């Protein structure tokens, strides 16, 4: 069994694996390390990754990309509406308000949600990793943007489950990068933290994080981000060229999805060239629209002008990080950059301006996230032996707990985790109640998601004491390994021992050591375990049932989607076998005809028989292009079998005769 780390990017994915003590980025079925985050549907089969992106221009309506940013959201979410302007597929609201991406698959229009499309992509990554590693792949660590909210994280976990992946941890992308950096550094000290800034500027997002490294450990300090990336630069340049073409050629690229896509593809290439070259560079597209060839040019300084608003936001994100991490410029050891768009020279200049350090490229800019995730997976999985490295991540947003009133008991609220609190972590909260009550967990600050609510937990079976007084209910509020916030348990502590239990609970919470959060199972050594022996004293503590409404699919939906995915995997398999059978028959027809007509088999068959077989082969060839174009696998295999029966004796005669003289020579030598 192997362990992998997945960087699920908005534009492309990378998978790394731990193999014999080394971390290796795996190649896919096209021998490439980047797998485009695209899924396409073509009649009977799904096409995923490189092949999907390659056929996008000719199958626009049934090719879907850009779904990472739709995870866990509803159709009418303004963010979704904005994202949809750059997704050419047909997208509708489903009955429950969720996003339904409409594609033609298996001869009918079908809807798939972003979670299902992500699961399809994960299925592909799982298959290509298994092929590269030549072993089953189950355990993984998946990286996600640091700004992903609870709903998006849960949706990503659901997608992984649909694809049959066992996620040991959802890890923030910059934290994965930090691990990929720190793990191999052997000049870190116990008492003198090394503060490093990590900048990841990708296709749709910018993330900047500050991290403190000590010997064998890393601790994230703060993160800032913005939802801008390379695609915003492409769009800004797209607007410019579309306007120019309108004026010069009187054509409107924006009215034609295919032309728009071709323009953006050429712009992306031009943008990459501009990173390496400051001179004027050409942009040419043949037969762009109405058979008109277009040509233009651009140089780096012009691009920088057009993208000034994006670059301004980049600068602000860096400045915010400097302020929020509370680091002085002199405290910063270096600024490491990853992500495709960090190759843009003006972004590197901004780093130098803000942090007073040159941008450093110690890490592989494309592969660092997946490599860090693979390292984390190796550290957590018992299947691989690797040195320990402690990772203390952060909760990116403040979290509040609110409880409702009951009788004379007042409602209340508390900020249970301030922004940038260590994660994973658990805190205990004691509330006195006579009956069942509701507890809500909400974000305590503005988050990039329309609803601030994380979930509502109904605490059941709470009863007053015999004297009619309230009882202490101890809630364990937890940010888990995946950055998901939840109430993991509720315990009723009987009145006479309540004080002791509350004291034990309080002490347990204060004993939590964020720096020692993870052991090799990934579970934090937190309040519950440390408080366990103290709990014995409060032996009348009883676990209360919890009923919760939070993000993610219901178990029934999850099981349906999982079954649907397995069925689609089965279909793809069947379709691949069918096409293979057809190709095998076609190949045999050509090969045998060549051998029988002027080829090596011609002299081993009587003329009448030879003519009969060749004519049959000609008929088969025609059939393959007409009625036989789209048949079941068995029909191709049975036709191939029938051909073998006819032609195998000829082949045998030919090989017997070819070996004949050798056999004769052998006999001669032995006499
Ligand atoms: P995200 O992290 O936003 O989810 P991603 O991980 O798929 O997306 P990356 O692979 O890090 O994104 O980066 C892709 C982006 O980087 C694209 O917009 C691409 O055009 C851009 N890019 C790649 N190389 C260069 C380059 N040399 N110069 C400028 N931009 C580049
Ligand atoms: Mg990325």
């Amino acid at each position: 069994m192997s362990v992998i780390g997945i960087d699920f990017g908005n534009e492309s994915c990378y998978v790394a694996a731990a193999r014999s003590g080394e971390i290796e980025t795996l190649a896919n079925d096209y021998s490439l390390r980047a797998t485009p985050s695209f899924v396409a549907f073509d009649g009977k089969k799904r096409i995923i990754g490189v092949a999907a992106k390659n056929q996008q221009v000719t199958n626009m309506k049934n090719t879907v990309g850009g779904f990472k940013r739709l995870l866990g959201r509803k159709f009418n979410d303004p963010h979704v509406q904005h994202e949809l302007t750059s997704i050419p597929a047909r997208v509708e609201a489903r009955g429950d308000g969720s996003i339904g991406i409409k594609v033609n698959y298996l001869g009918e229009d079908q809807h798939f949600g972003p979670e299902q499309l992500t699961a399809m992509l994960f299925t592909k990554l799982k298959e290509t990793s298994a092929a590269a590693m030549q072993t089953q792949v189950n355990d993984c660590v998946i990286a996600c943007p640091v700004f992903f909210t609870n709903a998006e994280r849960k949706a990503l976990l659901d997608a992984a489950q649909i694809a049959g992946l066992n996620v040991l941890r959802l890890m923030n992308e910059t934290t994965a990068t930090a691990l990929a950096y720190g793990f191999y550094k052997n000049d870190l000290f116990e008492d003198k933290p090394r503060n490093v800034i990590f900048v990841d500027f990708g296709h749709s997002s910018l993330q900047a994080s500050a991290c403190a490294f000590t010997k064998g450990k890393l601790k994230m300090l703060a993160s800032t981000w913005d939802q801008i990336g390379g695609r915003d630069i492409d769009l800004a340049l797209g607007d410019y060229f579309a306007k120019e073409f309108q004026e010069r050629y009187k054509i409107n690229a924006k009215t034609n999805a295919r032309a728009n896509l071709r323009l953006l593809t050429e712009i992306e290439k031009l943008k990459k060239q501009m990173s390496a070259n400051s001179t004027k560079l050409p942009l040419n597209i043949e037969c762009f629209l109405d058979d008109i060839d277009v040509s233009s040019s651009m140089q780096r300084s012009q691009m920088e002008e057009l993208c000034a608003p994006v670059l301004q936001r980049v600068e602000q994100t860096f400045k915010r990080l400097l302020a929020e991490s509370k680091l002085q410029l002199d405290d910063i050891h270096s600024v490491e950059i990853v992500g495709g768009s960090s190759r843009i020279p003006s972004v590197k200049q901004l780093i130098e301006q803000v942090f007073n350090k040159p941008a450093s490229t110690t890490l592989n800019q494309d592969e660092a996230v997946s490599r860090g995730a693979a390292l984390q997976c190796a550290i957590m999985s018992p299947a691989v032996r690797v040195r320990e490295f402690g990772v203390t991540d952060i909760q990116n947003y403040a979290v509040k707990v609110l409880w409702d009133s009951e009788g004379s008991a007042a409602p209340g609220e508390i900020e249970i985790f301030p922004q940038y609190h260590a994660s994973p972590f658990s805190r205990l909260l004691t509330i006195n109640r006579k009956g069942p009550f509701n507890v809500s967990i909400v974000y305590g600050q503005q988050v990039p998601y329309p609803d601030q609510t994380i979930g509502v937990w109904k605490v059941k079976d709470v009863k007053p004491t015999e004297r009619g007084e309230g009882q202490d209910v101890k809630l364990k509020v937890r940010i888990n390994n995946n950055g998901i916030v939840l109430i993991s348990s509720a315990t009723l502590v009987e009145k006479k021992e309540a004080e002791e239990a509350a004291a034990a609970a309080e002490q347990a919470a204060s004993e939590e050591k964020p720096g020692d959060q993870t052991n090799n199972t990934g579970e934090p050594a937190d309040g519950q375990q440390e408080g366990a022996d103290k709990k014995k004293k409060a032996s009348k503590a009883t676990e209360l049932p919890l009923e919760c409404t939070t993000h993610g699919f219901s178990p029934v939906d999850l099981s349906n989607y999982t079954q649907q995915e397995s069925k689609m995997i089965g279909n793809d398999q069947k379709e691949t076998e069918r096409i293979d059978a057809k190709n095998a028959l076609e190949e045999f027809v050509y090969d045998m005809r060549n051998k029988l007509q002027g080829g090596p088999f011609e002299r081993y068959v009587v003329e009448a028989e030879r003519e009969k077989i060749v004519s049959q082969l000609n008929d088969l060839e025609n059939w393959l292009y007409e009625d036989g174009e789209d048949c079941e696998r068995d029909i191709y295999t049975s036709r191939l079998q029938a051909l073998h029966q006819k032609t195998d004796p000829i082949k045998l005669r030919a090989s017997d005769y070819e070996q004949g003289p050798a056999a004769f020579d052998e006999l001669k030598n032995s006499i």
Side-chain angles (χ1 to χ4, degrees):
M1 207 183 66
S2 66
V3 297
I4 58 168
I6 298 178
D7 171 12
F8 166 35
N10 197 60
E11 188 179 62
S12 45
C13 300
Y14 288 83
V15 181
R19 180 145 60 178
S20 46
E22 297 284 324
I23 299 293
E24 197 181 310
T25 314
L26 303 177
N28 58 28
D29 44 350
Y30 283 70
S31 302
L32 298 168
R33 290 174 175 194
T35 298
S37 305
F38 277 85
V39 178
F41 300 83
D42 174 25
K44 288 189 174 177
K45 64 179 191 300
R46 304 185 293 180
I47 307 168
I48 307 170
V50 181
K53 180 98 191 272
N54 287 349
Q55 54 86 72
Q56 191 188 11
V57 177
T58 53
N59 184 23
M60 297 232 352
K61 276 192 175 161
N62 297 313
T63 306
V64 197
F67 41 83
K68 174 180 177 182
R69 309 303 302 281
L70 305 178
L71 282 169
R73 292 177 182 265
K74 298 277 187 212
F75 180 78
N76 62 11
D77 181 336
H79 170 85
V80 170
Q81 289 304 314
H82 172 71
E83 289 291 314
L84 292 185
T85 55
S86 52
I87 297 180
R90 297 162 293 169
V91 189
E92 298 171 350
R94 293 202 268 196
D96 58 356
S98 64
I99 304 165
I101 296 152
K102 197 169 168 184
V103 290
N104 196 278
Y105 174 49
L106 300 180
E108 54 180 326
D109 276 348
Q110 302 196 32
H111 284 105
F112 294 108
E115 296 76 20
Q116 286 175 282
L117 293 166
T118 306
M120 296 179 194
L121 186 61
F122 285 167
T123 292
K124 179 74 181 178
L125 297 179
K126 198 175 151 187
E127 282 170 8
T128 49
S129 314
M133 300 289 288
Q134 297 186 328
T135 168
Q136 264 311 98
V137 169
N138 285 100
D139 286 354
C140 68
V141 166
I142 302 179
C144 77
V146 63
F147 54 81
F148 256 25
T149 56
N150 204 71
E152 293 161 294
R153 285 169 195 265
K154 192 69 188 48
L156 193 50
L157 287 172
D158 284 347
Q161 190 172 334
I162 294 170
L165 284 171
N166 181 36
V167 182
L168 300 188
R169 183 174 196 168
L170 276 191
M171 193 177 198
N172 290 327
E173 288 167 3
T174 40
T175 310
T177 307
L179 179 58
Y181 171 91
F183 190 83
Y184 298 103
K185 291 272 171 272
N186 41 23
D187 53 350
L188 300 170
F189 304 101
E190 244 148 57
D191 47 352
K192 197 170 163 285
R194 174 190 289 187
N195 302 308
V196 181
I197 306 288
F198 293 93
V199 170
D200 184 344
F201 195 19
H203 185 57
S204 66
S205 62
L206 168 68
Q207 302 170 71
S209 295
C211 177
F213 292 94
T214 45
K215 196 167 192 286
K217 279 179 203 166
L218 71 81
K219 183 178 187 305
M220 301 309 285
L221 303 173
S223 289
T224 53
W225 49 270
D226 199 347
Q227 312 222 10
I228 44 167
R231 68 172 180 177
D232 297 281
I233 294 172
D234 301 346
L235 290 174
L237 303 192
D239 286 346
Y240 169 84
F241 284 115
K243 215 166 131 207
E244 187 191 331
F245 297 158
Q246 175 74 52
E247 280 163 16
R248 279 181 45 207
Y249 304 102
K250 309 282 174 266
I251 47 175
N252 187 353
K254 301 265 170 170
T255 54
N256 183 310
R258 200 166 158 234
N260 202 30
L261 180 67
R262 285 184 67 206
L263 176 61
L264 288 173
T265 310
E266 291 308 313
I267 285 174
E268 194 183 18
K269 286 186 203 155
L270 174 69
K271 176 185 71 175
K272 290 180 184 171
Q273 288 165 6
M274 282 193 286
S275 288
N277 206 322
S278 62
T279 57
K280 219 178 188 72
L281 296 164
L283 178 118
N284 300 314
I285 312 176
E286 279 176 20
C287 288
F288 182 57
L289 253 182
D290 306 335
D291 285 338
I292 298 174
D293 299 344
V294 294
S295 69
S296 183
S297 63
M298 187 175 274
Q299 74 185 54
R300 192 194 289 164
S301 56
Q302 216 178 339
M303 178 200 102
E304 288 167 355
E305 254 170 58
L306 290 168
C307 299
V310 175
L311 294 172
Q312 234 164 31
R313 283 167 70 175
V314 172
E315 184 180 4
Q316 283 159 6
T317 308
F318 293 163
K319 284 185 168 165
R320 276 204 318 275
L321 181 70
L322 197 56
E324 299 200 10
S325 66
K326 300 193 176 67
L327 291 175
Q328 301 302 312
L329 287 177
D330 288 346
D331 297 335
I332 298 170
H333 172 273
S334 51
V335 184
E336 294 292 339
I337 55 169
V338 298
S341 303
S342 68
R343 294 190 176 96
I344 297 171
S346 45
V347 172
K348 294 187 199 168
Q349 279 158 20
L350 286 173
I351 288 177
E352 193 143 3
Q353 263 173 41
V354 177
F355 298 108
N356 201 25
K357 299 261 169 352
S360 166
T361 49
T362 306
L363 298 159
N364 180 314
Q365 274 165 279
D366 297 315
E367 300 170 15
V369 174
S370 64
R371 297 176 75 87
L375 268 172
Q376 177 71 87
C377 196
I379 292 170
M380 290 171 83
S381 169
V384 184
R385 272 169 66 105
V386 63
R387 176 161 48 89
E388 279 296 306
F389 198 94
V391 175
T392 303
D393 212 334
I394 41 174
Q395 162 61 25
N396 202 44
Y397 310 110
V399 173
K400 276 200 312 196
V401 177
L402 293 88
W403 51 100
D404 57 10
S405 60
E406 181 229 23
S408 59
E413 68 169 71
I414 185 172
E415 186 181 84
I416 195 112
F417 299 115
Q419 188 184 25
Y420 304 142
H421 190 283
S423 158
F425 213 95
S426 297
R427 272 192 188 285
L428 297 164
L429 180 70
T430 308
I431 300 172
N432 194 276
R433 279 290 182 275
K434 288 179 188 168
F437 64 106
N438 288 333
V439 184
S440 307
I441 304 187
V442 301
Y443 283 118
Q445 68 183 84
Q446 203 60 39
V447 291
Y449 193 77
D451 182 4
Q452 301 277 114
T453 309
I454 292 170
V456 179
W457 279 259
K458 190 178 244 173
V459 186
K460 294 157 89 172
D461 291 3
V462 183
K463 291 186 193 78
T465 60
E466 282 173 11
R467 285 190 286 163
E469 289 167 347
Q471 309 224 61
D472 279 348
V473 176
K474 211 171 67 180
L475 301 175
K476 187 172 168 194
V477 188
R478 178 159 169 73
I479 317 165
N480 70 14
N481 248 334
N482 306 317
I484 299 272
V485 189
L486 71 158
I487 294 185
S488 60
S489 70
T491 320
L492 184 81
V493 186
E494 289 220 2
K495 188 71 183 169
K496 61 181 169 143
E497 282 174 301
E499 269 171 32
E500 198 181 348
E506 231 168 63
Q507 199 183 345
S510 68
E511 278 172 15
E512 289 175 70
K513 295 186 208 94
D516 295 339
Q517 284 294 300
T518 42
N519 54 28
N520 67 351
T521 60
E523 273 300 299
D526 62 12
Q528 193 172 38
Q529 279 132 30
E530 291 182 23
D533 50 336
K534 283 158 193 135
K535 235 196 279 176
K536 272 187 220 145
K537 286 190 216 155
S539 55
K540 295 275 170 66
T542 32
E543 189 91 359
L544 296 172
L546 285 167
E547 196 180 288
C548 106
T549 319
T550 185
H551 302 119
F553 290 138
S554 68
V556 174
D557 283 346
L558 205 50
S559 147
N560 285 341
Y561 288 137
T562 310
Q563 277 174 26
Q564 217 179 324
E565 177 61 23
S566 312
K567 214 169 138 195
M568 288 188 277
I569 294 172
N571 272 345
D572 289 342
Q573 179 73 29
K574 231 173 99 185
E575 181 61 6
T576 309
E577 284 169 7
R578 191 184 74 84
I579 301 218
D580 287 351
K582 186 181 170 195
N583 289 342
L585 177 62
E586 201 172 359
E587 212 174 289
F588 188 90
V589 168
Y590 291 131
D591 183 55
M592 187 49 70
R593 203 169 41 194
N594 285 340
K595 283 182 173 143
L596 286 172
Q597 284 181 325
F601 291 177
E602 197 169 15
R603 36 194 198 113
Y604 300 107
V605 54
V606 290
E607 188 54 20
E609 174 73 356
R610 193 184 71 85
E611 273 173 16
K612 207 169 131 201
I613 298 175
V614 168
S615 138
Q616 261 176 0
L617 292 171
N618 288 340
D619 288 348
L620 255 180
E621 185 190 10
N622 290 335
W623 175 81
L624 276 168
Y625 287 113
E626 289 159 10
D627 294 348
E629 207 195 341
D630 197 18
C631 293
E632 292 292 315
R633 171 180 175 264
D634 289 353
I635 297 186
Y636 298 123
T637 44
S638 62
R639 299 217 168 189
L640 183 61
Q641 225 172 359
L643 276 183
H644 270 296
Q645 266 173 13
K646 280 227 165 71
T647 56
D648 281 358
I650 305 172
K651 194 175 162 192
L652 192 70
R653 275 200 296 278
S655 74
D656 274 358
Y657 186 80
E658 301 294 321
Q659 279 166 18
F664 181 72
D665 285 348
E666 256 174 44
L667 188 69
K668 215 166 58 177
N669 289 341
S670 68
I671 293 171

